[in-house]
Amino acid sequence: MQYAILTKESWPTWQGDEKQGVLHLLHSANMDPEQFQLGHTKVFIKAPESLFLLEQMRDRKFDMYARVIQKAWRKYKRCSQYEKMREEACNLFLNRKERRRHSINRNFMGDYLDIDNLPELRQLLDKRENIDFADKVTKYDRQFKGIKRDLILTPKYVYLIGRQKVKQGPDHGQVITVLKRRIAIEKILAVSLSTMQDDFLILHEQQYDSLLECTFKTEFLSLLARRFMERTQRKLPLKFSTTLKLKLKKERWGPWTAGGSRQVYFVFGQGDIATLRPSGKVLQVSIGPGLPKNSRPTKISSIKSTFRTQQSYPTLAPPPPSFVQQDGMLENTGHTANQVNTSMQQGGDQRQTSGNLTPPTLSPALINELRGECKPVLVLPNLDCLRVPDQGTPGAQRQTISRPTPGGGRPKPAPKSVFYQKSELPRCKALYAYDAQNPNELSFNKNDIIEIINKDASGWWLGRLRGIEGLFPRNYISRI
């Protein structure tokens, strides 16, 4: 029948008498019985508007199913694209560099600075230049002092943008955004990295090199390698070693003012955060072991199969407050169930607690008793890595708000109880709203004024707001 698609009962086939099927379709369209009459082989409709109504309903159904098919196809293409991008990025480091535990399966976002809403950055770039990658990095000078820079990659150039104070003129003392360096992609000689899981990389160029620490180095280098291939028809030279050499910039003119060089040594240490020890012309970086060099990202198809398996066979909820179930064993942690769930949901975040705890062996009777107190619930995997940002339309503003990773992806320090006089405490202003994920964190809204009690190098500071003390991320605030 021509209009069988209008209802679920009649599509794709009608099980029953044909006349009853016709009546079912007409009643589903809320057509008045006075507007139609059934014959032996045809339906007579009195007013043409009633026929037009059926045609409109049919067109809407076809449009809805077309949208469903298009949505499924776009989702498939995006998943295939992200799998290809992760595979290309993995091939750059395969068997040559260790990987971080929470970065190998992450999604590639590209613009982490939201440059569309930062005209002071956009005006420093070439007109109509697309943004492949943008993020805040740390650049180290000849004394190995870290300076914050904005790293922007376009199809033609690599930009390093910083801030400086105006020394003369009517704007004396104001901080402005300036272009520190612009490197043409075809002029990049090579990129040097260590064999460990650190975030350091060196961009080698004819004049001088740049030592950078980039959190999303995998995404940056994969996009840089693609653009380098397009510009030069050659693969981007990547060097991996535990000893990296850095060529410095000449600061003065004359035969006694050579730029010189520096060296960066990488040694095994503890933890996932690099520890820097500068000494003269040498920088020693120590960091703990990461994932093996032959690690590969998990394919989206395998994530979906795991999701279906957990749907078919529900697992038990986390055990009572003092125990956490891991690999068939129970680990005594002392955390509550809410804290355990919160820590499980933060699998995509780079924050993690250091140290390994040995789970005690418990008797089967005690395990069964603890399991008996738990109700069966469905435990779903964390699929935040598959979330795709809003694509947007020309001239429209994105709805998603690009916020930095709380604390820069570093673990929180233990809160210290320190007493300060109210007048001695410095203050800061919140740039974004933050909801506490743990009991020892501090929640605040945008533009709230927070008193700073203690500053920690990890990026998590101790502060006070409305008489409540807690930890908050440094990159969510601005000093007053």
Side-chain angles (χ1 to χ4, degrees):
M1 294 188 300
Q2 183 177 358
Y3 302 103
I5 197 175
L6 297 182
T7 62
K8 296 180 179 179
E9 293 80 8
S10 59
W11 182 262
T13 56
W14 169 260
Q15 304 295 334
D17 184 61
E18 292 184 356
K19 289 187 176 181
Q20 294 298 325
V22 173
L23 291 175
H24 171 73
L25 291 175
L26 295 176
H27 289 314
S28 66
N30 296 326
M31 188 175 296
D32 192 348
E34 298 179 356
Q35 297 293 325
F36 67 89
Q37 185 177 357
L38 295 180
H40 292 288
T41 59
K42 296 181 181 180
V43 180
F44 297 91
I45 297 178
K46 182 177 180 180
E49 290 80 5
S50 302
L51 181 61
F52 297 156
L53 175 63
L54 291 175
E55 289 292 339
Q56 288 181 359
M57 295 178 63
R58 181 171 175 268
D59 292 341
R60 290 176 182 174
K61 282 290 183 180
F62 276 115
D63 182 72
M64 181 191 69
Y65 285 123
R67 291 176 182 272
V68 171
I69 296 173
Q70 290 175 356
K71 181 180 178 180
W73 174 252
R74 285 195 297 265
K75 182 179 180 181
Y76 167 76
K77 293 295 290 183
R78 282 197 297 265
C79 292
S80 302
Q81 178 184 1
Y82 285 127
E83 282 187 355
K84 182 179 179 180
M85 291 174 63
R86 282 198 292 264
E87 285 294 331
E88 292 177 355
C90 178
N91 292 335
L92 296 177
F93 304 113
L94 187 63
N95 297 324
R96 296 195 287 181
K97 184 176 178 63
E98 297 178 353
R99 303 296 303 276
R100 288 191 178 274
R101 293 178 176 83
H102 299 302
S103 67
I104 192 169
N105 285 322
R106 59 172 299 275
N107 197 358
F108 291 169
M109 305 290 289
D111 184 5
Y112 296 90
L113 299 179
D114 194 12
I115 295 184
D116 292 338
N117 296 325
L118 298 174
E120 65 274 11
L121 292 181
R122 172 60 72 175
Q123 68 180 358
L124 298 177
L125 310 180
D126 287 352
K127 294 182 178 180
R128 300 179 181 178
E129 202 169 15
N130 296 327
I131 304 299
D132 291 338
F133 179 84
D135 189 28
K136 287 190 176 297
V137 299
T138 303
K139 180 186 179 301
Y140 292 89
D141 57 10
R142 59 181 64 237
Q143 285 83 25
F144 300 112
K145 294 182 180 179
I147 306 172
K148 289 296 181 181
R149 292 284 187 266
D150 294 333
L151 176 64
I152 300 177
L153 173 65
T154 65
K156 296 181 180 180
Y157 300 100
V158 176
Y159 294 88
L160 285 174
I161 300 176
R163 278 81 184 168
Q164 69 181 17
K165 287 186 178 181
V166 179
K167 298 181 179 179
Q168 297 178 354
D171 298 333
H172 176 71
Q174 294 186 5
V175 179
I176 59 174
T177 303
V178 295
L179 177 63
K180 293 295 185 179
R181 194 177 188 190
R182 185 178 71 172
I183 307 174
I185 291 181
E186 59 271 14
K187 292 185 178 180
I188 296 178
L189 301 179
V191 179
S192 297
L193 304 97
S194 74
T195 58
M196 303 180 184
Q197 63 160 336
D198 58 277
D199 295 330
F200 285 87
L201 60 95
I202 299 179
L203 291 178
H204 296 281
E205 203 256 346
Q206 188 66 32
Q207 297 179 354
Y208 62 96
D209 304 334
S210 297
L211 175 60
L212 307 175
E213 186 177 8
C214 179
T215 304
F216 304 119
K217 62 183 181 304
T218 303
E219 180 178 357
F220 169 70
L221 289 178
S222 63
L223 296 172
L224 179 61
R226 182 185 304 177
R227 294 302 184 184
F228 188 84
M229 174 64 72
E230 294 175 357
R231 303 287 296 180
T232 64
Q233 304 303 320
R234 295 184 293 109
K235 290 185 178 181
L236 177 66
L238 297 178
K239 302 177 182 180
F240 296 86
S241 176
T242 56
T243 303
L244 306 182
K245 294 184 179 180
L246 175 68
K247 182 174 63 175
L248 299 180
K249 177 183 178 181
K250 295 182 179 180
E251 291 188 343
R252 294 184 300 272
W253 298 95
W256 303 281
T257 57
S261 63
R262 297 290 186 269
Q263 290 185 347
V264 184
Y265 289 96
F266 295 86
V267 296
F268 282 102
Q270 296 180 354
D272 295 332
I273 303 221
T275 302
L276 309 182
R277 294 185 178 89
S279 177
K281 297 183 179 181
V282 177
L283 174 64
Q284 179 179 328
V285 181
S286 61
I287 191 171
L291 294 178
K293 297 180 181 180
N294 58 353
S295 301
R296 284 188 172 274
T298 305
K299 293 187 177 181
I300 299 179
S301 58
S302 62
I303 296 177
K304 291 182 178 179
S305 62
T306 305
F307 179 72
R308 295 193 189 99
T309 304
Q310 294 186 354
Q311 278 188 323
S312 303
Y313 305 97
T315 59
L316 293 177
S322 59
F323 296 92
V324 176
Q325 184 176 357
Q326 293 184 354
D327 301 331
M329 308 281 295
L330 292 181
E331 179 181 349
N332 188 357
T333 62
H335 297 292
T336 62
N338 292 333
Q339 295 173 341
V340 173
N341 293 335
T342 303
S343 62
M344 293 173 62
Q345 294 175 0
Q346 295 176 350
D349 196 354
Q350 295 185 1
R351 287 181 290 147
Q352 51 186 337
T353 56
S354 59
N356 297 325
L357 301 178
T358 303
T361 304
L362 302 179
S363 63
L366 179 57
I367 295 177
N368 294 332
E369 180 180 358
L370 293 174
R371 287 180 176 176
E373 298 178 0
C374 303
K375 297 180 181 180
V377 297
L378 181 64
V379 179
L380 302 180
N382 187 356
L383 299 180
D384 290 341
C385 61
L386 305 182
R387 186 176 68 85
V388 180
D390 294 344
Q391 300 298 326
T393 56
Q397 186 177 2
R398 291 184 180 178
Q399 296 180 357
T400 55
I401 300 175
S402 177
R403 300 180 179 179
T405 304
R410 299 176 178 177
K412 301 186 297 296
K416 300 178 181 179
S417 178
V418 183
F419 177 78
Y420 285 89
Q421 295 293 335
K422 186 174 182 179
S423 59
E424 298 178 356
L425 292 178
R427 297 186 302 168
C428 59
K429 183 179 180 181
L431 299 177
Y432 313 97
Y434 180 72
D435 295 329
Q437 303 296 327
N438 292 321
N440 61 347
E441 295 182 5
L442 186 66
S443 298
F444 51 84
N445 299 321
K446 184 178 179 180
N447 298 327
D448 282 350
I449 303 301
I450 306 173
E451 297 178 345
I452 303 174
I453 297 178
N454 187 23
K455 303 176 184 178
D456 193 272
S458 65
W460 289 89
W461 290 5
L462 181 63
R464 180 189 302 154
L465 177 64
R466 303 183 188 93
I468 301 176
E469 295 185 3
L471 297 173
F472 64 92
R474 163 66 183 86
N475 51 1
Y476 270 53
I477 58 94
S478 175
R479 293 289 301 274
I480 298 178

